Amino acid sequence: MPIDDSVKGTRLPSVTMTLEAGRLASFAGATGQPDPVYRDPLAARNAGLPGLPVPPTFLFAIELEQPDPFAWLTGLGVDLRWVLHGEQAFTYHAMAYSGNTLVASPQIADVYRKKGGALQFVVKRTAVTHVDGSPVADLDSVIVVREPEVTS
Amino acid sequence: MSVLSEVRVGTELPPLRLPAISRTTLALFAGASGDHNPIHIDLDVARSAGLDDVFAHGMLSMAYLGGLLTGWAPQERIRSLRVRFAAVTPVHGEPTCTGRVVALAGTVATVELAVTLADGTVTLTGEATVDLAPES
């Protein structure tokens, strides 16, 4: 079913995460991060860092902490069986480290169609900040929704 | 680490070769990232969706590109990272990450990125911008 254009600009619930060193180390380990400063607090300290650095893409995990992280999509009437993650972008403003608390504030930035409506696109923009509001990164996700009934 | 004086258009980043993606890899990534979508970790769900097997999270491969970049420049110099997910990565796929400098504007390098499997399939394409200015 078509996603209504009026959802553009909708603010979605914010999610707060305190960055736990063990969680960051697990992410670095699971993603084959070669540099030991991402997993070993002693290596990070020896490198003069205030904690384990947050790996470049870990920031997308903050929103996944919600009990049902895709409720915002199903709330638009989207059938998750036809959803693809089309594009992902990060624009970085500042570093974050274990011990920091970050806030992810997502918003539906755009909705558009291609191929006569057979493909619908939802752009979600998420501002990630420290708790004092200072910016860490902005994330853009492009979600592609296939409409199996529409012949292109 | 890269040094600005050594970087020019055409510079290739040292490739990052990852081991074959196992079911364990996918389970660990699901746990560490919080992306528990069962299409990536549950064979029964993959079968019910008409697939032969589970496939890897796209964000696992994007994280690999993060490792390619942090192996080349300190993370605080990465200004942006953007990818398009071009193809599915099957379980057991063997990814290699590559990057090439395609533009240099002052001290900011634009790096064209790709993740390619052993069979030649390109699964992710993208680019990053990295500020190579020495610390002031």
Side-chain angles (χ1 to χ4, degrees):
Chain A
M1 60 171 282
I3 298 168
D4 203 299
D5 279 355
S6 66
V7 304
K8 290 186 206 182
T10 300
R11 293 193 184 278
L12 304 171
S14 288
V15 186
T16 300
M17 180 194 277
T18 297
L19 302 168
E20 198 250 319
R23 173 74 178 274
L24 296 178
S26 292
F27 187 90
T31 58
Q33 170 55 257
D35 193 336
V37 300
Y38 290 92
R39 282 171 284 113
D40 179 355
L42 182 60
R45 191 179 320 139
N46 287 343
L49 303 176
L52 300 188
V54 176
T57 62
F58 179 83
L59 298 169
F60 91 101
I62 300 171
E63 288 171 77
L64 296 172
E65 293 298 282
Q66 301 169 83
D68 182 1
F70 304 110
W72 68 279
L73 264 179
T74 54
L76 301 179
V78 169
D79 184 334
L80 294 182
R81 291 177 297 168
W82 308 119
V83 162
L84 296 170
H85 192 179
E87 294 174 44
Q88 179 69 42
F90 296 78
T91 304
Y92 301 104
H93 307 302
M95 292 291 293
Y97 297 90
S98 56
N100 293 161
T101 300
L102 300 182
V103 182
S105 303
Q107 182 176 26
I108 297 175
D110 201 3
V111 176
Y112 56 94
R113 274 154 225 96
K114 291 184 182 177
K115 296 185 194 264
L119 293 178
Q120 297 187 89
F121 297 78
V122 184
V123 181
K124 172 163 64 75
R125 172 158 298 158
T126 302
V128 178
T129 64
H130 289 289
V131 284
D132 65 3
S134 56
V136 171
D138 292 303
L139 282 58
D140 285 322
S141 298
V142 179
I143 303 299
V144 186
V145 184
R146 291 175 292 144
E147 291 291 336
E149 298 84 12
V150 180
T151 45
S152 54
Chain B
M1 289 302 184
S2 66
V3 177
L4 176 60
S5 59
E6 296 172 4
V7 174
R8 52 188 54 83
V9 171
T11 295
E12 304 222 355
L13 279 60
L16 179 63
R17 290 184 172 81
L18 285 304
I21 293 171
S22 65
R23 288 166 213 279
T24 301
T25 308
L26 298 183
L28 291 172
F29 184 75
S33 68
D35 185 353
H36 304 136
N37 187 337
I39 203 77
H40 302 300
I41 50 182
D42 186 333
L43 180 59
D44 293 335
V45 168
R47 293 266 169 84
S48 74
L51 305 171
D52 290 339
D53 207 335
V54 299
F55 60 92
H57 309 70
M59 293 300 293
L60 172 60
S61 292
M62 191 174 192
Y64 291 156
L65 286 176
L68 174 77
L69 290 171
T70 58
W72 186 65
Q75 182 174 331
E76 62 268 18
R77 299 197 186 166
I78 303 174
R79 294 283 166 264
S80 69
L81 173 57
R82 166 183 308 272
V83 303
R84 177 184 303 266
F85 300 103
V88 156
T89 304
V91 62
H92 310 313
E94 294 178 50
T96 296
C97 301
T98 55
R100 185 172 63 94
V101 176
V102 294
L104 203 49
T107 63
V108 178
T110 300
V111 182
E112 189 172 87
L113 301 166
V115 182
T116 309
L117 302 182
D119 67 0
T121 303
V122 177
T123 54
L124 271 72
T125 61
E127 69 172 40
T129 57
V130 182
D131 189 345
L132 299 169
E135 290 304 316
S136 54

